[in-house]
Amino acid sequence: MNDKIQHKIDCLIIGSGAAGLTLALSIADKASVIILSKSELKEGSTLYAQGGIAAVFDENDSIESHVQDTLIAGAGLCNEEAVRFTATNAKTSMQWLIDQGVPFDQIIAQDGSTRFHLTREGGHSHRRILHAADATGKAVQTTLLDRVRAHPNIFLFERFNALDLVTSKKLGKKDKRVHGAYVWNRSKERVETIEAKFVAVATGGASKVYQYTSNPDIASGDGIAMAWRAGCRVANMEFNQFHPTSLYNDKAQNFLITEAMRGEGAYLKRPDGTRFMPDFDEREELAPRDIVARAIDFEMKRLGADCMYLDISHKDETFILEHFPTIYATCLKVGIDITKEQIPIVPAAHYTCGGVVTDLNGKTDLDNLFAIGEVAYTGLHGANRMASNSLLECIVFAHGAASSILAEINNISEPDPISMWDESRVTISEENIFISHNWHELRLLMWDFVGIVRSNRRLHKAITRIELIKQEVDEFYANFKVSNNLLELRNLAQVAQLIVLCALERKESRGLHFNKDYPDTLDIATPTFLSPDKDA
């Protein structure tokens, strides 16, 4: 199938992380599936997720407690129906992962029986985080990928970029349906077409829009931008989570220090060795991420310091090595022994809490188009995602999407034919420095003006420049042949615009969005919705 230029399939899944792989495995017995992966199949945010997945397995815990913790962390902006749906289906979804072979850590009880080791992270009132040491995402990704590779009805397209979704509107029809996508074959440097009864966007978030991020290079907001261009609404794009603790070291950029370390007793400290979180929140190191990230940002600016420090060296060495082997090994490579020394840390863009608007089955505004995982706005995260609800959302909503697709697949007509990509009027650019310059300017602009702390002046300056960059990119895209960097820049510019437009709409500070000109929180919490028909 990969040698063809035109392809036809039941379901095209754009993205090969936990959400995409789960959906593929859940429908492949009854539907043919193509999984499109922009880079290597294993590459993506799932692979680098360290902490774990939240679900109620402890008899002293409850679904209601998980719900309330999530609502509190979301700063009053969560959709309670989505929160309850997720928490209620969490254990079943985790059991599905266990059945697939994901090796979550277990411990032996005093009576000789085994049970899952549960850890605790910021915002959680109980230990409810299932994990595989400090590399849970890797365990999930590799296990599911092995299952996917073995399934005869799943076809893997590696190193393919999705350019754009093909909708009825593009085909000159009046209904609102997706019919497939144009995709860029990076290996053969050509545009191909994929016709599909269903399309699922599972491309992850957009943290690469910022200069400093914990995410891999592929997190460029592709799915959000494509869905917006296709006519889907987005919501809450102003809520960008900055993970408080990313390793501050030039030799190990983008390396995250899991929140589970604070859950197991690590302290945040100033350069002089004193703790500072007790000065900001009664929950101290276990406060939600937005509070911790702002506290670190405040202390760095107040002291003129390059970083703060995370210290777990007071814990037993065997305990540290058992629970955080990946972090220990990575830090040791750059000369830091975490059993004896503090870890230099800074906040980094980590998670996109908003995204493409969907229902509880992942359905978007377009018929037959689904969005699942970080790319979607389900209402689960509100103004701040609680730790270890992200991979959970991927699994729960992938199963919801699968149920909807399987219920409808026999009643859906074949997609309309998609014409071949026309590049007869474009040329090969000899000015790729243009892409590189705008790429770096855009990301630095977002970091400086649309970061952890914002202001009206910064936001207005940002939107003015972003719209100019976007116009330049659109003109370049129209005149020159596509490339990976051009496609990502096009999507990043679109997502940057959506983030700032949402931020300008919010006249308050709430959760991850802090505006110095509106420091107070309004009594009534409302999501920020943008529509292509109204806000484009």
Side-chain angles (χ1 to χ4, degrees):
M1 179 177 282
N2 293 49
D3 292 330
K4 299 178 181 179
I5 297 179
Q6 293 179 293
H7 313 274
K8 195 169 185 177
I9 205 74
D10 287 330
C11 184
L12 166 63
I13 299 174
I14 304 173
S16 59
L21 297 179
T22 298
L23 176 59
L25 289 169
S26 299
I27 66 174
D29 288 344
K30 298 182 179 179
S32 57
V33 179
I34 287 176
I35 296 178
L36 206 71
S37 179
K38 188 165 69 172
S39 184
E40 295 180 6
L41 283 162
K42 67 178 182 179
E43 184 70 7
S45 294
T46 297
L47 184 73
Y48 298 98
Q50 296 175 2
I53 310 176
V56 174
F57 274 74
D58 190 326
E59 61 184 14
N60 296 316
D61 195 4
S62 68
I63 291 174
E64 184 61 29
S65 178
H66 189 180
V67 168
Q68 292 304 317
D69 288 347
T70 301
L71 293 175
I72 291 169
L77 203 59
C78 298
N79 179 324
E80 187 168 344
E81 183 183 11
V83 174
R84 291 191 179 279
F85 175 80
T86 306
T88 301
N89 287 282
K91 188 171 184 178
T92 301
S93 294
M94 293 309 96
Q95 187 58 55
W96 182 84
L97 285 178
I98 293 164
D99 294 342
Q100 301 305 307
V102 176
F104 292 114
D105 284 6
Q106 299 187 44
I107 58 175
I108 300 175
Q110 291 182 346
D111 62 2
S113 62
T114 59
R115 60 181 176 83
F116 291 107
H117 179 267
L118 304 174
T119 190
R120 183 183 173 194
E121 297 181 352
H124 291 273
S125 59
H126 293 79
R127 285 181 173 266
R128 64 169 70 99
I129 315 300
L130 283 81
H131 63 101
D134 61 348
T136 307
K138 183 178 181 180
V140 171
Q141 181 76 13
T142 54
T143 299
L144 296 185
L145 192 52
D146 285 345
R147 298 296 298 268
V148 160
R149 290 185 189 278
H151 202 292
N153 223 16
I154 300 176
F155 304 93
L156 304 174
F157 282 35
E158 199 169 18
R159 293 182 59 78
F160 276 75
N161 294 62
L163 272 75
D164 266 319
L165 301 170
V166 179
T167 63
S168 296
K169 184 177 180 180
K170 289 185 178 181
L171 298 178
K173 296 182 176 293
K174 293 183 178 180
D175 61 340
K176 295 185 66 176
R177 175 183 169 178
V178 68
H179 295 265
Y182 288 113
V183 301
W184 168 247
N185 184 331
R186 294 172 65 179
S187 299
K188 296 185 178 181
E189 297 189 346
R190 70 187 186 193
V191 177
E192 302 178 8
T193 65
I194 301 178
E195 298 169 8
K197 290 184 177 180
F198 300 93
V199 177
V201 178
T203 52
S207 287
K208 195 178 178 181
V209 76
Y210 287 100
Q211 183 76 10
Y212 303 106
T213 174
S214 65
N215 284 193
D217 283 342
I218 64 170
S220 51
D222 302 333
I224 297 171
M226 284 190 295
W228 172 264
R229 290 194 294 265
C232 294
R233 290 170 300 153
V234 299
N236 280 12
M237 291 296 295
E238 70 268 39
F239 296 110
N240 311 102
Q241 187 175 83
F242 290 81
H243 196 287
T245 53
S246 180
L247 177 63
Y248 179 68
N249 190 286
D250 290 339
K251 296 179 181 178
Q253 293 182 355
N254 299 357
F255 184 73
L256 189 73
I257 307 296
T258 174
E259 192 160 334
M261 185 170 281
R262 282 179 282 133
E264 295 297 342
Y267 296 129
L268 284 164
K269 295 181 177 181
R270 302 180 181 94
D272 65 3
T274 59
R275 292 175 63 196
F276 58 87
M277 279 311 302
D279 299 338
F280 289 89
D281 195 280
E282 63 182 9
R283 291 163 291 187
E284 300 177 345
E285 277 78 7
L286 290 178
R289 289 178 177 177
D290 59 323
I291 295 173
V292 179
R294 278 199 301 275
I296 295 171
D297 183 69
F298 179 85
E299 288 296 308
M300 287 172 60
K301 290 176 178 175
R302 182 179 72 86
L303 297 172
D306 292 331
C307 64
M308 291 291 114
Y309 293 88
L310 185 67
D311 188 3
I312 199 170
S313 62
H314 54 280
K315 287 285 189 176
D316 179 75
E317 181 175 340
T318 302
F319 174 88
I320 296 172
L321 296 178
E322 179 181 344
H323 284 78
F324 307 109
T326 305
I327 296 172
Y328 172 80
T330 300
C331 288
L332 199 62
K333 288 179 181 178
V334 297
I336 303 166
D337 183 347
I338 68 172
T339 66
K340 300 179 176 66
E341 301 173 87
Q342 300 180 127
I343 307 169
I345 54 91
V346 292
H350 181 61
Y351 194 86
T352 307
C353 288
V356 183
V357 177
T358 74
D359 66 9
L360 296 183
N361 288 322
K363 288 186 176 182
T364 71
D365 294 331
L366 283 179
D367 291 342
N368 303 350
L369 177 65
F370 294 78
I372 48 175
E374 190 177 350
V375 70
Y377 165 79
T378 63
L380 171 63
H381 304 306
N384 179 35
R385 176 178 71 83
M386 188 167 69
S388 290
N389 272 350
S390 54
L391 286 177
L392 175 62
E393 181 184 38
C394 291
I395 311 304
V396 169
F397 284 86
H399 285 152
S403 297
S404 183
I405 289 172
L406 292 176
E408 298 174 12
I409 192 165
N410 293 327
N411 302 320
I412 296 295
S413 61
E414 293 293 324
D416 290 334
I418 300 173
S419 60
M420 288 299 298
W421 184 261
D422 181 10
E423 55 181 22
S424 60
R425 290 176 290 180
V426 298
T427 60
I428 298 175
S429 170
E430 296 180 353
E431 295 290 341
N432 286 330
I433 188 64
F434 162 86
I435 297 175
S436 177
H437 175 84
N438 278 312
W439 179 282
H440 292 298
E441 181 182 352
L442 179 68
R443 298 180 70 206
L444 184 59
L445 180 78
M446 289 296 290
W447 182 262
D448 287 341
F449 297 143
V450 200
I452 296 173
V453 177
R454 302 161 180 178
S455 69
N456 287 346
R457 184 178 180 184
R458 293 176 189 175
L459 292 174
H460 283 292
K461 183 176 180 63
I463 195 65
T464 299
R465 183 58 191 136
I466 288 167
E467 288 177 348
L468 286 173
I469 292 174
K470 186 174 179 298
Q471 181 179 347
E472 292 172 6
V473 172
D474 288 343
E475 290 176 358
F476 197 90
Y477 178 80
N479 289 290
F480 297 102
K481 290 188 175 182
V482 298
S483 65
N484 177 65
N485 287 344
L486 174 58
L487 293 174
E488 287 193 340
L489 177 60
R490 180 185 182 223
N491 292 331
L492 285 172
Q494 179 63 80
V495 169
Q497 182 188 48
L498 295 175
I499 291 171
V500 180
L501 287 175
C502 281
L504 287 168
E505 286 287 318
R506 187 161 295 280
K507 311 301 184 184
E508 64 168 349
S509 290
R510 184 183 297 273
L512 300 166
H513 173 77
F514 187 86
N515 187 330
K516 294 197 298 182
D517 294 304
Y518 301 107
D520 299 325
T521 300
L522 297 177
D523 293 335
I524 300 176
T526 55
T528 307
F529 288 93
L530 296 180
S531 170
D533 298 331
K534 176 183 176 183
D535 301 289

